[in-house]
Amino acid sequence: MRFPISLLLLPCAAAAVVAQPAPSARDRAVAQRVLTAVPLIDGHNDLPWAIRNAKGAPRDVDAYDLRRPTPGHTDLARLATGRVGGQFWSVYIPGNIKDSGFARVQLEQIDIARRVIAKYPERLRFVTTAAGVRSAFAAGRIGSLMGMEGGHAIENSLGALRAYYDAGVRYMTLTHNQTLDWADAATDSARRGGLTPFGREVVREMNRLGMLVDLSHVAPSVMSQALDATEAPVIFSHSSARAIADHPRNVPDSILARLPKNGGVVMVTFVPGFVSPSIIAWNRQRAAKAADLRKGADTAAARRELDAWIAANPTPKATLADVANHVDHIRKVAGVDHVGLGGDFDGIDTVVEGLEDVSTYPALIAELSRRGWSEADLRKLVGENILRVMASAERVSERLRRERKPSTATIEQLDRAPGRTTGSP
């Protein structure tokens, strides 16, 4: 982790920003041709969670009408403008649920996603395979898949993992923000040494099922060990490049360099705090300022002083150019076959300037065209790479299902830790 940048550097950094030329009419035309030829497949959209928490009518799929403008980032008109051709709808649940088991809430989120997809048959089509996405796109529909965000939902059970696959889930992020009994999270303390033996068995069973192993949110040790364990390509459904923005949610170059051998893909996210180096520096400065102020006895005065500092040093803005920088870097280190897009729309409170909602993907494609990306490479970015990964995982599954039966291993057998519960120290 880098030390906080001096507060005095912020004005200099802002002054150093050089305005870039806007994409030309030719670049915009390139973007439209690419998005007509190949389905743009986004790796992560939290619409089901937005519906669960909608003001006035929580969980009411009919009330959250996508045929009208919605309060969030996603509706049918904006999906059409954005030329979205495939979407992994995240069936996220928090990793710190207190009042009930994970399974009930996870099943409710799957139910919300399935009902949303079924409600708009003229625009959305439920699919579970690469061929299904292509077929939906050819028919003018958005191929709609589901991805689970966090292995806490399986409650240390491979049987539960299989049940979620049977319900239609086609990727699972191994952790969310909390370290599990069997895997360390990027934003929590590392207590497992990466993946435990049971964690590796989870990866093996996901390979057998044909469920994509999603390494967003996990610690770098888990990224590395999952790459060692997997027999199928992995994905990062919504992550960016750590060399560009030093945030633990991003992917180090050492991992990017391994993707060509594995075949996987990093789907660049649009989360401002993950893509903007200026925001990351600002957050560190704010945290350092707050820590200094906490040393004093007058809490109210410290709060006022921190508020004054924030007013004098407003949060920087993330830009479309920041996101394009991550896409460029991943192409440089991992190769053009290993990068995609995963916006995290409806899962973020603030947005990137120029990428405010699902209508804005063409602007990013046009910017990359301006930077010299060929149409062939842009087709890989928007959809061909993730379709290749999906098809490869399906072929691996076909082979492994012939070679081995469903795993009956338990965490107690493999990790020799009877009585532990998910998320325990």
Side-chain angles (χ1 to χ4, degrees):
M1 179 178 291
R2 299 189 182 97
F3 291 106
I5 300 171
S6 166
L7 300 181
L8 296 176
L9 292 183
L10 274 176
C12 298
V17 174
V18 177
Q20 298 294 320
S24 66
R26 174 197 168 277
D27 296 318
R28 294 191 295 273
V30 165
Q32 293 301 323
R33 284 199 299 271
V34 167
L35 297 174
T36 298
V38 178
L40 183 146
I41 303 170
D42 180 277
H44 195 91
N45 183 302
D46 276 301
L47 176 66
W49 191 253
I51 292 173
R52 183 183 186 88
N53 292 287
K55 292 181 179 179
R59 310 186 195 191
D60 190 333
V61 170
D62 291 327
Y64 201 98
D65 189 355
L66 298 185
R67 295 190 179 99
R68 302 177 180 224
T70 65
H73 303 137
T74 307
D75 54 46
L76 295 184
R78 285 182 284 177
L79 285 166
T81 300
R83 305 298 298 272
V84 176
Q87 181 67 64
F88 280 94
W89 302 105
S90 173
V91 286
Y92 159 77
I93 66 170
N96 55 357
I97 294 171
K98 303 296 185 185
D99 61 346
S100 64
F102 292 120
R104 190 201 78 190
V105 182
Q106 186 63 79
L107 290 171
E108 288 174 352
Q109 288 309 103
I110 291 171
D111 172 68
I112 288 174
R114 292 293 298 264
R115 286 191 290 131
V116 168
I117 297 165
K119 180 175 170 62
Y120 307 101
E122 76 281 10
R123 292 295 296 121
L124 308 180
R125 179 183 292 179
F126 178 68
V127 299
T128 57
T129 65
V133 175
R134 292 187 186 277
S135 176
F137 181 68
R141 307 294 189 271
I142 297 172
S144 295
L145 307 108
M146 293 188 296
M148 281 170 46
E149 189 174 16
H152 51 277
I154 71 170
E155 300 186 63
N156 298 339
S157 167
L158 297 179
L161 176 71
R162 288 188 286 271
Y164 293 135
Y165 178 87
D166 289 342
V169 172
R170 287 303 179 265
Y171 76 61
M172 184 175 76
T173 322
L174 295 188
T175 74
H176 189 240
N177 290 333
Q178 290 78 28
T179 285
L180 305 183
D181 286 344
W182 46 271
D184 287 321
T187 52
D188 197 359
S189 58
R191 303 191 295 272
R192 309 298 176 222
L195 278 176
T196 70
F198 182 75
R200 290 190 286 275
E201 189 71 2
V202 170
V203 170
R204 291 180 74 251
E205 188 64 7
M206 291 174 73
N207 289 166
R208 193 193 68 83
L209 288 169
M211 184 184 288
L212 296 173
V213 176
D214 178 13
L215 299 180
S216 287
H217 280 287
V218 306
S221 57
V222 174
M223 297 177 193
S224 181
Q225 292 169 21
L227 285 169
D228 292 339
T230 186
E231 298 180 60
V234 302
I235 67 167
F236 294 77
S237 66
H238 57 309
S239 293
S240 294
R242 193 155 186 177
I244 299 296
D246 187 16
H247 191 286
R249 272 283 283 104
N250 290 335
V251 187
D253 278 2
S254 59
I255 299 298
L256 293 178
R258 297 186 61 183
L259 286 184
K261 182 177 180 180
N262 168 263
V265 61
V266 176
M267 308 184 82
V268 173
T269 192
F270 305 165
V271 181
F274 299 167
V275 300
S276 168
S278 297
I279 292 177
I280 290 170
W282 186 90
N283 283 331
R284 289 172 178 166
Q285 293 161 18
R286 182 186 60 178
K289 182 73 172 176
D292 287 342
L293 293 173
R294 281 197 298 270
K295 296 174 184 176
D298 191 338
T299 303
R303 179 68 254 180
R304 289 194 297 272
E305 188 172 345
L306 182 60
D307 289 343
W309 180 87
I310 293 172
N313 300 275
T315 311
K317 302 293 186 181
T319 67
L320 183 150
D322 288 324
V323 174
N325 290 342
H326 286 269
V327 177
D328 275 338
H329 182 82
I330 293 169
R331 179 176 71 162
K332 177 182 176 182
V333 178
V336 73
D337 294 325
H338 307 287
V339 61
L341 302 173
D344 205 4
F345 285 124
D346 279 303
I348 50 179
D349 296 322
T350 59
V351 295
V352 171
E353 289 187 345
L355 295 170
E356 290 84 3
D357 57 39
V358 297
S359 71
T360 58
Y361 295 101
L364 177 59
I365 307 311
E367 167 61 16
L368 293 169
S369 173
R370 186 194 68 79
R371 294 183 179 207
W373 281 59
S374 69
E375 291 191 37
D377 285 351
L378 288 170
R379 288 195 294 269
K380 291 181 177 183
L381 169 76
V382 302
E384 288 179 354
N385 286 343
I386 185 62
L387 287 169
R388 170 184 50 77
V389 167
M390 292 170 63
S392 178
E394 292 161 17
R395 290 192 298 272
V396 169
S397 173
E398 290 173 2
R399 173 175 60 81
L400 293 179
R401 286 172 183 257
R402 293 192 299 268
E403 294 176 359
R404 62 180 187 240
K405 295 180 179 179
S407 174
T408 59
T410 66
I411 194 168
E412 291 81 11
Q413 292 169 340
L414 297 183
D415 293 354
R416 299 179 181 177
R420 280 167 37 178
T421 58
T422 299
S424 62

